[in-house]
Structure formats: structure tokens, C-alpha cells
Amino acid sequence: IMGREIPAVHYMVAVFGGPVVRCAPYATYGTAELSAFAVEAIKDRSACLLAHHGVIVGGESLSKAMWLAVELETLAAQYVECLQMGNPPVLDDDEIERVKNKIESGSYGASS
């Protein structure tokens, strides 16, 4: 709803493929414009937010996509809670890349 991306306030942002979970701008549901915004926001990622709509999450299996959806909801809740105290510190892109590489090697997360 706020039209904000979720920054790397927790290392688990890496499970979505990068240092932020992007947020697509608002467009009316069912439109080509919203589709184009979503495609751009989810590019090279497994999830994105859609301003004033919700989320899109994908995975190589339904169980992996559901696991990611729960992780995204948890991450969003943590971010909202942190914002109540001010601007939270953010992990740098190099750390997120290290975590992403570890996750991709299969050393963390739910199995497919």
C-alpha cells in the first residue's frame, strides 16, 4: 500500500534474488500497464510487491513458492516493526550477494 520496496533489513531478503524486494507502481488490476510494472519489478527475482494490490511470488515448485510467500510476509512484518523505531540499518549489497550464493548452493531453506 505504501509503494515501498523492502530493503535488506534482514539477510533473508537474499532468498528473493537481490538486495531489495522491489515494489511495482500502482496500475488498475487486469491491465497491461500493471502487467508491465510487475514484469519489471520481478525481473531477476522470485518475488515483488504490487503497490495497492499485494505480492507475486514464484518458485520451482508449489511448496517452494508457498515457503517464499511465508518468508516474504515475515520479512514485511519485520520491516514494518523496525520502521516504528526509525530507519532500520540495511545490510550491504556484498553481504546479500554472499548470502544469496549460500542459499543457491542449497545450504539454506526448504527443499523443493
Side-chain angles (χ1 to χ4, degrees):
I1 291 173
M2 297 301 292
R4 293 184 182 181
E5 62 186 21
I6 301 174
V9 294
H10 190 287
Y11 70 87
M12 281 304 286
V13 76
V15 78
F16 301 102
V20 299
V21 176
R22 297 183 194 113
C23 184
Y26 177 79
T28 304
Y29 73 89
T31 64
E33 184 181 28
L34 179 58
S35 178
F37 288 157
V39 166
E40 185 62 28
I42 205 166
K43 184 177 174 183
D44 302 323
R45 306 294 162 88
S46 59
C48 70
L49 307 173
L50 303 175
H52 301 279
H53 290 285
V55 302
I56 296 174
V57 179
E60 58 268 4
S61 67
L62 181 57
S63 64
K64 181 68 178 246
M66 290 300 295
W67 177 77
L68 287 168
V70 170
E71 290 297 321
L72 183 54
E73 290 293 331
T74 300
L75 185 61
Q78 291 170 336
Y79 182 45
V80 167
E81 290 171 10
C82 288
L83 286 171
Q84 294 178 44
M85 295 174 57
N87 288 325
V90 175
L91 297 169
D92 66 41
D93 291 356
D94 289 339
E95 177 59 14
I96 294 304
E97 190 63 28
R98 276 190 292 278
V99 173
K100 182 180 160 191
N101 290 336
K102 288 182 67 109
I103 289 168
E104 289 172 352
S105 75
S107 65
Y108 193 95
S111 60
S112 300

